[in-house]
């Protein structure tokens, strides 16, 4: 972090006000966590940090930043680690969750033996990182609900030397965190609302739909991050577009709500006529975002409508946006779309969705092994898919696998 890391009261209050305002404009929980952690680290000079969110009686690892270990803004598999810690006094984060009091530790390797918790060295041992100072803070929202725990690691002085967290940080960061907890709750609610909508839409095994939707959202966000980083888009713009894309991509198949069960759940290949009916899910989905009052609505409309279009044409529904609002007598395939006429968001979601369909079991097919899935994407690059999107997908495949690991059927 820069050398403007040390906070005065005025600066702390200003940052709290400004960041809380910005956070209120973000919609997806990951973007909110990213922002809160970044600002807290900047205020305190922390080299690293992570956030755990409460799920039942556990703290689920949910976000991490580390200036020493992770150099780039782009795709990072470490974000999708999948583990939880019980809320108990044996761990530092568990202890803070239980006592609901912030805790500053000057050296994690020199803990007083009378303390109930111990420091878990396994992360340091795996990564070669040396955790020293720590500031661990409970995230408490309205009505004293515990949302999670934030842990800031290794405060650095102006020379880059690791030092204990300052008294100012210990005082002011928890104040900031109380506002942050409210924003996090809203982010979680937004994502859960979308999951519930999609479970209704697909009416399949809810755990299968939920996991598919989470994966397609995360794959799309990561592909977009790399696509935009290649073009040196400013980090702030990337984050905003990513935030919308994450949620909009989760909604890509919401139009399946209008498809009858006997087609949607058919455990066999569809007839040509059934497949033609199925194609309407793109138009049904787009119609749900008719008002387009926000960027999110607009992107959700583009993705719902265009996620089955193909780079060289011959995809569906191939109608113009204005025909979406016409009645059911419009002709599919009347207006071919191809190449960059297909919105980027939909070109990205197409690759994410087809990979996930190939790699997952469906009522009509077994999952394919990774090599076969990648071979299909690569052989269809330039015909079905935007070739650059496929290239990026292959480039970040370690991140894709980490995402799949985090959201497998039945989990998460
Ligand atoms: P979905 O299951 O989410 O599949 C999304 C897309 O992944 C498909 O779009 C297709 O492009 C690709 N995909 C899925 N399985 C395979 C596969 O085995 N091989 C290849 N090469 N690509 C595959 P598509 O075909 O337009 O289908 C849209 C939706 O229609 C599917 O969503 C699914 O809900 C339904 N569907 C398609 N074919 C069948 C079928 O034979 N039986 C049933 N029950 N549903 C089907
Ligand atoms: C079908 O025609 O039944 C499905 C074709 C496909 O999976 O692309
Ligand atoms: C962009 O952010 O560059 C465009 C996003 C889109 O076309 O959906
Ligand atoms: Fe679809
Ligand atoms: Fe899908």
């Amino acid at each position: 972090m820069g050398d403007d890391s040390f906070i005065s009261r005025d600066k702390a209050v200003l940052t709290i006000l400004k960041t809380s305002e910005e956070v209120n404009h973000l919609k997806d929980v990951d973007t909110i966590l990213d922002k809160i952690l970044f600002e807290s680290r900047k205020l305190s000079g922390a080299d690293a940090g992570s956030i755990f969110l409460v799920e039942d009686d556990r703290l689920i690892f949910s976000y991490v930043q580390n200036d020493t270990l992770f150099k780039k803004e782009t795709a990072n598999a470490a974000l999708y680690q999948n583990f939880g810690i019980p809320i108990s006094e044996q761990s530092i984060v568990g202890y803070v969750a239980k006592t609901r009091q912030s805790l500053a530790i000057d050296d994690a390797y020199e803990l007083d033996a009378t303390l109930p918790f111990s420091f878990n060295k396994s992360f340091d041992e795996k990564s070669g990182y040396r955790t020293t100072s720590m500031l661990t803070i409970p995230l408490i929202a309205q009505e004293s609900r515990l949302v999670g725990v934030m842990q800031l690691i290794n405060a650095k002085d102006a020379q880059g030397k690791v030092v204990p967290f300052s008294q100012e940080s210990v005082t002011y960061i928890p104040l900031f965190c109380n506002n942050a907890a409210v924003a996090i709750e809203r982010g979680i609610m937004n994502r859960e609302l979308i999951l519930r909508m999609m479970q209704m839409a697909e009416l399949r095994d809810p755990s299968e739909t939920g996991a598919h939707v989470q994966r397609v959202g995360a794959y799309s966000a990561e592909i977009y991050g790399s696509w935009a980083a290649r073009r040196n888009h400013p980090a702030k713009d990337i984050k905003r577009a990513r935030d919308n894309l994450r949620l909009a991509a989760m909604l890509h198949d919401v139009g399946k709500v209008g498809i009858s069960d006997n087609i949607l759940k058919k455990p066999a290949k569809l007839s040509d006529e059934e497949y033609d009916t199925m194609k309407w899910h793109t138009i049904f989905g787009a119609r749900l975002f008719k008002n387009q009052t926000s960027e999110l609505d607009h992107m959700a409309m583009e993705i719902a409508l265009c996620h089955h279009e193909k780079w060289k044409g011959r995809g569906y529904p191939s109608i113009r946006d204005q025909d979406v609002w016409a009645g059911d007598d419009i002709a599919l395939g009347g207006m071919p779309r191809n190449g960059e006429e297909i919105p980027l968001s939909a070109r990205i979601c197409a690759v994410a969705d087809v990979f996930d369909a190939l790699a997952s079991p469906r009522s009509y097919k077994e999952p394919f092994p990774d090599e076969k899935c990648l071979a299909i994407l690569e052989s269809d690059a330039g015909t079905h898919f935007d070739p650059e999107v496929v290239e990026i997908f292959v480039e970040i495949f370690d991140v894709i696998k980490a995402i799949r690991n985090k959201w497998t059927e039945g989990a998460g």
Side-chain angles (χ1 to χ4, degrees), residues 325-346:
W325 323 127
D328 283 2
D329 48 20
I330 48 172
L332 303 186
M335 285 290 239
R337 267 192 211 244
N338 55 47
E340 287 176 357
E341 245 193 311
I342 306 164
L344 174 68
S345 54

Side-chain angles (χ1 to χ4, degrees), residues 38 41 49 54 69 100 115 118 125 166 173 209-210 237 239 249 272 277 283 285 310 328 351 354 389 392 395 407:
F38 182 80
R41 287 174 50 235
V54 173
L69 295 181
R100 293 165 168 246
L115 293 169
S118 56
E125 281 159 3
S166 69
I173 310 262
T209 300
D237 295 353
K239 281 183 182 168
D272 289 350
T277 303
I283 298 165
K310 295 186 178 176
D328 283 2
V351 173
V354 173
V389 174
I392 290 170
E395 200 174 280
W407 286 290

Side-chain angles (χ1 to χ4, degrees), residues 284-405:
F284 293 157
R287 284 179 180 165
L288 293 174
F289 306 104
K290 181 167 186 176
N291 286 332
Q292 300 195 46
T293 45
S294 65
E295 262 180 85
L296 175 63
D297 286 339
H298 180 73
M299 205 181 265
M301 138 84 190
E302 287 180 345
I303 290 180
L305 187 63
C306 300
H307 72 280
H308 290 292
E309 295 289 0
K310 295 186 178 176
W311 184 251
K312 276 283 149 70
R314 309 182 73 85
Y316 65 89
S318 284
I319 63 170
R320 293 293 115 171
D321 292 7
Q322 60 270 22
D323 294 329
V324 168
W325 323 127
D328 283 2
D329 48 20
I330 48 172
L332 303 186
M335 285 290 239
R337 267 192 211 244
N338 55 47
E340 287 176 357
E341 245 193 311
I342 306 164
L344 174 68
S345 54
R347 277 148 39 212
I348 288 175
C349 187
V351 173
D353 181 39
V354 173
F355 172 78
D356 202 65
L358 295 173
S360 308
R362 285 282 189 268
S363 65
Y364 58 96
K365 64 170 270 295
E366 292 293 315
F368 298 154
D370 286 353
E371 305 73 58
K372 181 165 173 184
C373 301
L374 288 178
I376 291 174
L377 294 187
E378 286 183 313
S379 88
D380 290 353
T383 51
H384 185 161
F385 306 115
D386 176 344
E388 188 185 357
V389 174
V390 174
E391 186 186 302
I392 290 170
F393 189 86
V394 173
E395 200 174 280
I396 64 167
F397 198 58
D398 62 325
V399 182
I400 301 294
K401 280 190 291 193
I403 291 169
R404 181 174 53 189
N405 227 8

Side-chain angles (χ1 to χ4, degrees), residues 56-312:
D56 304 322
D57 52 354
R58 291 172 75 75
L59 290 165
I60 305 298
F61 172 86
S62 299
Y63 213 80
V64 63
Q65 292 172 349
N66 188 315
D67 279 352
T68 301
L69 295 181
F70 316 138
K71 291 296 178 202
K72 283 198 299 188
E73 278 275 353
T74 54
N76 182 356
L79 287 181
Y80 301 100
Q81 292 169 77
N82 194 10
F83 68 92
I85 296 174
I87 298 183
S88 79
E89 298 193 340
Q90 269 117 317
S91 68
I92 297 172
V93 286
Y95 180 83
V96 165
K98 249 196 133 145
T99 60
R100 293 165 168 246
Q101 301 288 324
S102 304
L103 175 69
I105 291 171
D106 292 348
D107 188 343
Y109 285 70
E110 303 286 338
L111 291 180
D112 191 311
T114 62
L115 293 169
F117 48 80
S118 56
F119 172 63
N120 178 353
K121 297 193 177 78
S122 66
F123 170 78
D124 280 12
E125 281 159 3
K126 263 187 283 173
S127 63
Y129 194 75
R130 171 61 161 89
T131 300
T132 308
S133 57
M134 280 182 158
L135 175 58
T136 309
I137 302 168
L139 301 170
I140 296 170
Q142 276 141 1
E143 291 148 15
S144 42
R145 275 190 307 279
L146 181 74
V147 175
V149 173
M150 176 166 75
Q151 186 157 60
L152 302 173
I153 295 171
N154 287 359
K156 287 187 166 176
D157 67 13
Q159 283 69 49
K161 187 164 151 280
V162 175
V163 293
F165 282 87
S166 69
Q167 195 50 53
E168 287 75 21
S169 295
V170 175
T171 307
Y172 292 118
I173 310 262
L175 291 181
F176 169 60
C177 284
N178 288 340
N179 288 314
V182 175
I184 293 171
E185 269 199 325
R186 208 187 31 247
I188 293 171
M189 234 171 60
N190 288 341
R191 212 189 269 182
E192 280 177 355
L193 216 71
I194 288 178
L195 285 174
R196 232 171 286 145
M197 261 172 84
M198 290 307 298
Q199 280 163 5
M200 280 168 46
E202 299 209 49
L203 306 164
R204 290 190 272 192
D205 171 6
S207 64
E208 185 191 314
T209 300
H212 169 63
V213 160
Q214 293 273 22
R215 288 190 302 261
V216 172
Y219 296 159
S220 299
E222 291 294 353
I223 296 168
Y224 175 76
S226 297
W227 185 94
R230 280 184 172 194
R231 285 159 178 79
N232 295 316
H233 287 189
K236 197 161 177 248
D237 295 353
I238 296 180
K239 281 183 182 168
R240 214 194 44 223
R242 248 178 74 115
D243 188 48
N244 284 318
L245 182 55
R246 170 78 178 246
L247 296 179
M250 288 174 77
L251 292 162
H252 67 277
D253 272 340
V254 68
K256 284 183 179 173
V257 71
I259 305 296
S260 71
D261 266 18
N262 54 345
I263 295 180
L264 200 56
K265 294 204 266 195
K266 183 175 177 178
K269 203 161 163 51
L270 301 178
S271 69
D272 289 350
E273 196 187 334
E274 288 166 335
Y275 190 50
D276 281 344
T277 303
M278 178 60 95
K279 288 175 179 174
W280 278 88
H281 79 277
T282 52
I283 298 165
F284 293 157
R287 284 179 180 165
L288 293 174
F289 306 104
K290 181 167 186 176
N291 286 332
Q292 300 195 46
T293 45
S294 65
E295 262 180 85
L296 175 63
D297 286 339
H298 180 73
M299 205 181 265
M301 138 84 190
E302 287 180 345
I303 290 180
L305 187 63
C306 300
H307 72 280
H308 290 292
E309 295 289 0
K310 295 186 178 176
W311 184 251
K312 276 283 149 70

Side-chain angles (χ1 to χ4, degrees), residues 42-61:
K42 195 164 153 192
L43 275 169
S44 61
D47 182 54
S50 41
I51 296 181
F52 294 78
L53 296 180
V54 173
E55 256 174 52
D56 304 322
D57 52 354
R58 291 172 75 75
L59 290 165
I60 305 298
F61 172 86

